[in-house]
Amino acid sequence: MGAKRYFEEFQIGESVTSRSRQICDGDVRLFGGCTNLNYPIYSDAIYCAALPGIEKPVVPGALVLNVVDTFFAESVSPDGVPTLHYGYDRVEYKKMVYPGECVYSYFEVIGKEEKNEEYGLLIFRVDTYNQKKELVMTHIDKLYVGRQEV
């Protein structure tokens, strides 16, 4: 999907699967340092062992969403066409992601809206999976995309 394409060239039902990326402990620590998100659930194995349903320190959901946003830019956003990220909707975290796991995303165009003469809005359903093909997160992503000049 990422080639030079204007709003009119995207079709509802069109889909693409991103590459995979491993999220490691270093990613979690850097993210925590940059965001001040330094809670024990992200770094303290003894603390996590005392929590029901938590195996070990987890990857922050916001970090998973940021990794998926990179996939979005690589896999979906057109090259050479003005685009503006419009935001997320209905973000649902389905399963914990642990450091060392790999994630990848499936993007599907589920809606299109003409906004004005310059931009249209593309609406994507995004499902993110781990290396075991288990759904870990789902959300709606919206992207303003430049329209072809007439």
Side-chain angles (χ1 to χ4, degrees):
M1 272 196 227
K4 184 171 183 173
R5 297 174 66 194
Y6 293 92
F7 169 77
E8 293 81 3
E9 298 174 277
F10 286 85
Q11 302 299 317
I12 293 177
E14 182 177 345
S15 65
V16 65
T17 301
S18 74
R19 66 180 175 87
S20 176
R21 184 189 188 286
Q22 183 180 37
I23 302 176
C24 65
D25 190 55
D27 296 320
V28 175
R29 293 194 187 281
L30 283 170
F31 186 77
C34 291
T35 62
N36 204 26
L37 192 66
N38 294 309
Y39 299 105
I41 196 168
Y42 306 125
S43 61
D44 188 337
I46 295 169
Y47 174 84
C48 291
L51 298 175
I54 308 288
E55 300 169 19
K56 55 186 176 184
V58 299
V59 174
L63 174 55
V64 176
L65 189 59
N66 277 275
V67 168
V68 173
D69 203 33
T70 300
F71 293 158
F72 191 78
E74 293 173 350
S75 303
V76 175
S77 294
D79 296 329
V81 175
T83 59
L84 301 162
H85 189 245
Y86 190 66
Y88 307 112
D89 238 345
R90 299 190 298 259
V91 178
E92 296 179 37
Y93 298 98
K94 302 291 193 176
K95 188 170 180 57
M96 299 284 186
V97 175
Y98 295 97
E101 291 189 338
C102 295
V103 295
Y104 65 94
S105 296
Y106 171 83
F107 302 92
E108 181 182 356
V109 179
I110 60 168
K112 290 177 71 172
E113 298 174 17
E114 294 180 2
K115 288 299 192 182
N116 56 39
E117 292 179 7
E118 294 180 54
Y119 289 96
L121 179 68
L122 296 176
I123 304 167
F124 295 86
R125 186 188 87 234
V126 184
D127 294 327
T128 300
Y129 299 89
N130 63 17
Q131 72 278 0
K132 298 175 189 170
K133 300 182 181 178
E134 298 167 322
L135 183 64
V136 298
M137 185 180 73
T138 185
H139 72 282
I140 302 298
D141 212 326
K142 298 177 180 181
L143 184 69
Y144 268 108
V145 177
R147 299 186 66 190
Q148 268 181 317
E149 295 179 20
V150 182

